[in-house]
């Protein structure tokens, strides 16, 4: 925690009077609170790289957990100055656009799940849309094979929704003036922040994506990434955020920023037009409300697949029976089998509800009971036998917020790949997304994460591409806020989200242990179970193989940022799999 505070202080985000969160032993805060079930110390294999017993960040009143400590500090400061959780979420989102350009964004989109202290709940869809010039087969070449144009370059970008979405959330639920909420992001962009090794490595690794477009001048002056210890300012981005603070979404979608986006598209051969930008609208949707073993949760409906798929998995596991011991072959088999079945539905039945009819029964308990009955206790069923025939980007970022009033926000946003399409809007200072790859560019062919999807997610003008983003808020059996969670990592977002929930509810882990624990992932196709390397005992892996699971180990299964209510306040924790990040509060 000391290093995190030093970094935040160096960057200059911690303003005078801020009271910072401190780390403390979780067990000392939860054991005697009847409203918070006692936590049970976790036990992980000795070969697992994240030991049990880590300490989360504690705050008595309010806290933000995100993939960047500077952005978390911005959100915490906004709440200390009287803002609520939605103000803080918006402030954090704009700060991430400055300090975390690999995934924090103005040129992408996302989802927000909100629970106000008075019981109101909301789900905001500000996912990108396909330009009107987009077509179903636009990424299939003359040879019938997929081109790379959905992954990098100007044709990869959907119409951005981030700015419209964050401002719409603030309009409905915010307390502070938008100029005050965005002021820290303007300051960070204009005055700059001190570059650390994580930022420098991220930019350097993405040089191949950035150097062929306008971002080269900003990020690779003298042909090298910003040096560790230097101050990195972004005057063009500062002007953009200032315009948004002054004129709202109009500046971005109809004014001078829109002109800059369209000019960049025209220079590089992209599809987004001024009419596409003017047409964009964020959408308030009915949140998914469900339960798991007496706990209730609020999740994101389509165009996100995350809430539906997480709900389906949890329902199947509840119907399957009592949970097995953490880390056992029986537990992995149950989770993999439930996930396999839910992903079959996800990949074949879900899409933008404006364009496709999403089956209403996917999130019901009755449907889950029927699927649970198809799971054998002692052997795996190949996807080919249970599917009727039918790779999503990693550079997403999730952040969780709770304020002193008890309002809670779970937000997941994305550019898709690191630095999106690589196309940088000169004069405006941000990268555009490459979310068009999240559509089914060619039914039956895998995308960048190996997801094989169906016609429901085919490209169409104005359509929102399917996402795995899974911002989720969990309530305890008394209806009180317990957990705010979500993750980055393409389809593995779903796996991380539901497993953190299981770890907290079924296995009574502390927040730090629930997020540090080994994870699994099964997305139906490829028909295999991914295990965190070193996270499972050899005899468990051997037993899973005997049951018919194809196993392979992978270093990381998504990266989450979560908050949990504990005795006397809240704990926030950023995934140890993440390259940086942290929680800040007071």
């Amino acid at each position: 925690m000391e290093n995190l505070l030093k970094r935040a202080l160096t960057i200059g985000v911690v303003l005078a009077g801020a009271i910072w969160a401190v780390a403390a032993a979780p067990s000392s805060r939860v054991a005697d609170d009847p409203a918070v079930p006692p936590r049970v110390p976790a036990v992980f294999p000795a070969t697992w790289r994240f030991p049990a017993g880590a300490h989360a960040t504690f705050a008595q009143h309010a806290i933000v957990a995100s993939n960047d400590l500077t952005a978390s500090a911005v959100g915490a400061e906004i709440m200390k100055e009287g803002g609520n959780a939605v103000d803080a979420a918006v402030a954090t989102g704009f700060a991430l656009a400055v300090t975390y350009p690999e995934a924090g964004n103005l040129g992408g989109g996302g989802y927000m799940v909100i629970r106000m202290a008075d019981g109101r709940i909301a789900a905001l869809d500000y996912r990108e849309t396909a330009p009107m010039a987009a077509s179903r087969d636009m990424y299939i070449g003359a040879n019938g094979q997929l081109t790379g144009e959905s992954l990098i370059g100007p044709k990869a970008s959907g119409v951005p929704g981030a700015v419209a979405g964050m401002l719409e959330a603030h309009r409905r639920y915010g307390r502070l003036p938008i100029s005050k909420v965005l002021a820290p992001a303007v300051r960070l962009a204009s005055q700059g922040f001190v570059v650390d090794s994580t930022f420098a490595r991220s930019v350097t690794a993405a040089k191949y994506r950035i150097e062929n477009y306008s971002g080269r001048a900003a990020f690779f002056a003298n042909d090298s990434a910003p040096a560790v210890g230097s101050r990195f300012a972004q005057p063009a981005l500062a002007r953009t955020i200032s315009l948004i603070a002054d004129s709202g979404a109009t500046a971005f979608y109809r004014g001078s920023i829109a002109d800059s986006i369209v000019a960049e598209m025209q220079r590089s051969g992209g599809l987004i037009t001024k009419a596409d930008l003017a047409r964009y609208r964020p959408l308030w949707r009915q949140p998914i409300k469900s339960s798991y073993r007496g706990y209730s949760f609020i999740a994101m409906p389509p165009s996100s697949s995350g809430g539906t798929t997480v709900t389906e998995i949890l329902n199947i596991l509840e119907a399957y029976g009592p949970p097995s011991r953490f880390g056992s072959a029986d537990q992995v088999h149950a989770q993999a089998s439930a996930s396999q079945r839910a992903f079959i539905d996800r990949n074949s039945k879900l899409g933008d509800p404006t364009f496709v009819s999403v089956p209403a029964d996917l999130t019901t308990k009755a449907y889950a009971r029927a699927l649970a009955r198809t799971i054998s206790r002692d052997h795996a069923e190949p996807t080919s036998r249970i599917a009727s025939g039918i790779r999503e980007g990693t550079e997403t970022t999730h952040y969780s917020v709770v304020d002193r009033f008890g309002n809670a926000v779970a937000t997941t946003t994305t550019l898709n790949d690191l630095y999106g399409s690589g196309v940088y809007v000169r004069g405006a200072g941000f990268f555009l997304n490459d979310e068009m790859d999240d559509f089914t560019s060619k039914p039956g062919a895998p995308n960048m994460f190996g997801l094989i999807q169906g016609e429901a997610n085919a490209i169409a003008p104005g359509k929102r591409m399917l996402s795995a983003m899974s911002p989720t808020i969990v309530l305890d059996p008394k209806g009180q806020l317990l957990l705010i969670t979500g993750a980055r990592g393409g389809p593995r977002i779903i796996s991380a989200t539901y497993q953190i929930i299981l770890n907290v509810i079924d296995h009574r882990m502390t927040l730090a242990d629930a997020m540090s624990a080994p994870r699994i992932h099964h997305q139906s196709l490829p028909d295999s179970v991914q295990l965190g390397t070193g996270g499972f005992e050899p005899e468990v892996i051997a037993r899973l193989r005997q049951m018919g699971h194809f196993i392979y180990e992978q270093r990381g299964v998504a990266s989450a940022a979560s908050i949990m209510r504990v005795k006397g306040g809240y704990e926030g924790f950023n995934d140890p799999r993440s390259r940086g990040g942290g929680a800040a509060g007071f």
Side-chain angles (χ1 to χ4, degrees):
M1 183 63 191
E2 181 181 357
N3 289 337
L4 294 179
L5 292 178
K6 285 181 178 178
R7 178 178 174 230
L9 287 163
T10 301
I11 295 168
V13 176
V14 182
L15 305 180
I19 304 173
W20 288 100
V22 296
S27 60
S28 67
R29 291 194 300 275
V30 300
D32 59 352
D33 186 346
V36 181
R39 302 289 104 188
V40 176
V43 177
F44 304 146
T47 51
W48 181 236
R49 58 194 177 115
F50 304 121
H55 292 170
T57 300
F58 173 76
Q60 183 177 0
H61 302 292
I63 194 166
V64 181
S66 83
N67 292 141
D68 183 79
L69 179 61
T70 303
S72 296
V74 164
E77 185 60 30
I78 287 294
M79 291 190 288
K80 191 170 189 300
E81 293 181 357
N84 65 13
V86 175
D87 292 319
V90 173
T92 301
F94 275 89
L96 285 165
V98 180
T99 62
Y100 199 64
E102 68 173 52
N105 73 84
L106 302 186
Y111 302 95
M112 187 178 291
V113 173
I114 300 167
R115 181 187 184 265
M116 303 300 287
D118 61 10
R120 287 175 294 162
I121 61 173
L124 183 59
D125 178 340
Y126 51 101
R127 181 65 155 156
E128 304 89 334
T129 58
M132 295 307 289
S135 60
R136 182 186 183 281
D137 298 327
M138 62 185 288
Y139 300 121
I140 300 177
N143 61 358
Q145 301 302 308
L146 290 173
T147 69
E149 291 183 315
S150 69
L151 294 171
I152 191 167
K155 292 183 180 179
S157 299
V159 180
V163 171
M166 288 190 285
L167 294 187
E168 173 62 13
H170 177 269
R171 181 195 68 78
R172 180 172 288 194
Y173 292 106
R175 287 170 54 115
L176 299 180
I178 192 65
S179 57
K180 187 176 184 68
V181 170
L182 300 192
V186 173
R187 185 170 59 252
L188 281 167
S190 60
Q191 298 177 8
F193 58 91
V194 177
V195 174
D196 62 10
S197 58
T198 298
F199 183 89
R201 284 196 301 270
S202 172
V203 173
T204 299
K207 184 177 182 181
Y208 77 97
R209 185 172 289 271
I210 297 171
E211 64 181 353
N212 294 323
Y213 302 100
S214 302
R216 181 184 180 92
F219 286 83
F220 290 98
N222 303 318
D223 202 40
S224 60
V228 174
S230 66
R231 185 168 289 274
F232 184 60
Q234 300 167 81
L237 183 55
R239 287 193 298 273
T240 290
I241 300 174
S242 294
L243 282 169
I244 294 168
D246 291 341
S247 304
T250 299
F252 190 93
Y253 291 93
R254 298 175 183 270
S256 60
I257 304 170
D259 292 336
S260 295
I261 294 171
V262 172
E264 197 65 49
M265 291 285 95
Q266 291 174 343
R267 276 191 292 267
S268 57
L271 301 181
I272 298 172
T273 66
K274 195 80 176 281
D276 288 321
L277 290 162
R279 185 181 293 110
Y280 186 84
R281 297 289 186 277
L283 298 175
W284 291 102
R285 299 195 186 275
Q286 186 65 36
I288 292 172
K289 295 186 291 183
S290 190
S291 64
Y292 178 74
R293 304 194 197 280
Y295 292 74
S296 58
F297 59 90
I298 308 155
M300 194 71 212
S303 61
S304 172
S305 71
T308 299
T309 311
V310 166
T311 301
E312 189 172 336
I313 292 169
L314 292 176
N315 283 345
I316 293 170
L317 289 172
E318 184 179 58
Y320 185 72
S324 299
R325 178 179 56 83
F326 181 82
S328 66
D330 287 340
Q331 185 218 25
V332 174
H333 170 68
Q335 290 184 7
S337 299
S339 184
Q340 175 193 36
R341 284 154 176 78
F343 263 92
I344 289 171
D345 287 338
R346 186 256 187 214
N347 296 342
S348 61
K349 299 176 182 178
L350 299 185
D352 183 343
T354 303
F355 288 77
V356 300
S357 179
V358 176
D361 65 343
L362 296 182
T363 57
T364 66
K365 301 289 188 181
Y367 182 71
R369 286 193 294 270
L371 289 178
R373 287 194 291 269
T374 71
I375 300 175
S376 167
R377 297 280 169 176
D378 56 10
H379 70 269
E381 194 74 29
T383 294
S384 60
R385 292 184 187 171
I386 52 178
S388 57
I390 42 169
R391 258 118 66 184
E392 185 164 340
T394 62
E395 301 322 320
T396 302
T397 187
H398 175 85
Y399 50 99
S400 299
V401 186
V402 64
D403 63 26
R404 72 181 84 192
F405 313 109
N407 304 308
V409 180
T411 304
T412 314
T413 69
T414 188
L415 289 173
N416 203 26
D417 248 333
L418 270 170
Y419 302 90
S421 64
V423 175
Y424 181 84
V425 182
R426 68 188 78 180
F430 59 87
F431 291 94
L432 291 173
N433 65 85
D434 64 334
E435 291 295 347
M436 294 297 287
D437 189 66
D438 276 359
F439 280 119
T440 307
S441 297
K442 183 180 180 182
N447 70 358
M448 63 181 291
F449 257 83
L451 278 176
I452 298 176
Q453 305 177 94
E455 289 287 348
N457 192 38
I459 300 170
K463 189 176 183 180
R464 295 171 192 239
M465 58 290 291
L466 195 62
S467 169
M469 289 183 273
S470 309
T472 306
I473 296 173
V474 180
L475 310 179
D476 69 15
K478 295 182 179 181
Q480 298 178 342
L481 177 68
L482 176 65
L483 180 69
I484 311 167
T485 193
R488 60 183 280 177
R492 294 185 294 270
I493 290 171
I494 292 167
S495 297
T497 301
Y498 87 77
Q499 285 168 69
I500 290 169
I501 294 171
L502 293 179
N503 291 345
V504 167
I505 294 176
D506 286 346
H507 305 293
R508 301 296 188 195
M509 293 184 191
T510 65
L511 180 63
D513 284 349
M515 294 177 62
S516 300
R519 295 178 188 145
I520 74 160
H521 176 67
H522 196 319
Q523 62 185 43
S524 81
L525 292 173
D527 196 350
S528 57
V529 182
Q530 299 174 28
L531 301 179
T533 304
F536 297 86
E537 300 290 357
E539 57 269 25
V540 169
I541 296 175
R543 172 61 181 147
L544 290 168
R545 287 179 170 143
Q546 289 173 358
M547 298 171 81
H549 290 286
F550 180 82
I551 301 294
Y552 73 94
E553 294 184 279
Q554 181 171 302
R555 186 166 175 81
V557 179
S559 174
S562 307
I563 292 169
M564 188 166 77
R565 192 183 95 253
V566 297
K567 178 186 175 184
Y570 303 95
E571 287 184 340
F573 197 71
N574 191 61
D575 206 304
R577 297 162 184 81
S578 176
R579 292 187 292 267
F586 62 94

